[in-house]
């Protein structure tokens, strides 16, 4: 038994993984995709629906706009100025996401593009690289009182 523990500790310290290689993205279930970003299946599905609905100006192949929408949501969870500690709280906050009513997204069903965008945004945050401080977006242009970050997928993204 002691040899197995020592072997496991050595393997872990070398960064060697005993976990099977992940399945192709398309083969992952909703629950598996949600687990990749630490969300429940219900919250992940709501977030993906919102990302899809809010990115309706993007072409199907454009992930950048969707990634930035996911970043807005994740950034708001982490920023105390929004008084929201979860993705669901961010998405259902009054007056924030016009596509959400009564805890559901009324405009679009999630797609693989929105699912991939959420996972890529999460991986970007977890990578330790600098992530854009985006907290707001709209399709009309930058907010005059906000710091412009960029235009992606038909939406204009801003910070504080």
């Amino acid at each position: 038994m002691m040899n197995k523990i020592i072997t496991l500790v050595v393997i872990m310290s070398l960064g060697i993984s005993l976990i099977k290689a992940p399945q192709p993205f398309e083969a992952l279930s909703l629950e598996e995709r949600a687990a990749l970003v630490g969300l429940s299946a219900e919250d992940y599905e709501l977030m993906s629906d919102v990302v899809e609905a809010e990115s309706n100006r993007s072409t199907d192949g454009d992930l950048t706009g969707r990634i930035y929408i996911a970043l807005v949501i994740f950034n708001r969870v982490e920023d105390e100025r929004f008084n929201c500690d979860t993705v669901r709280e961010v998405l259902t906050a009054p007056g924030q996401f016009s596509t959400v009513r009564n805890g559901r997204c009324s405009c679009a069903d999630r797609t693989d593009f929105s699912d991939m965008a959420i996972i890529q945004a999460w991986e970007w945050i977890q990578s330790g690289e600098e992530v854009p401080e985006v907290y707001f977006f709209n399709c009309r242009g930058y907010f005059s009182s906000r710091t412009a970050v960029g235009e992606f997928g038909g939406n204009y993204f801003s910070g504080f």
Side-chain angles (χ1 to χ4, degrees), residues 46-55 57 65-66 68-77 82 84 86-107 134-138 155 157:
L46 175 61
M47 183 174 178
S48 188
D49 287 346
V50 170
V51 168
E52 185 66 27
E54 297 287 355
S55 69
R57 288 163 292 284
R66 288 174 171 88
Y68 271 75
I69 292 168
L71 284 175
V72 165
I73 296 165
F74 286 135
N75 285 344
R76 287 182 179 195
V77 169
F82 288 93
C84 297
T86 66
V87 165
R88 181 163 293 277
E89 288 176 0
V90 167
L91 296 174
T92 59
Q96 295 304 303
F97 289 88
S98 61
T99 59
V100 178
R101 286 186 180 60
N102 300 319
R104 299 190 51 79
C105 182
S106 58
C107 298
V134 289
Y135 297 96
F136 308 96
F137 67 93
N138 67 52
N155 282 311
F157 293 86

Side-chain angles (χ1 to χ4, degrees), residues 102-128:
N102 300 319
R104 299 190 51 79
C105 182
S106 58
C107 298
D109 291 324
R110 57 185 264 275
T111 66
D112 278 350
F113 293 111
S114 292
D115 283 4
M116 285 186 277
I118 292 168
I119 293 167
Q120 287 184 8
W122 179 256
E123 288 174 350
W124 192 0
I125 292 167
Q126 299 304 308
S127 74

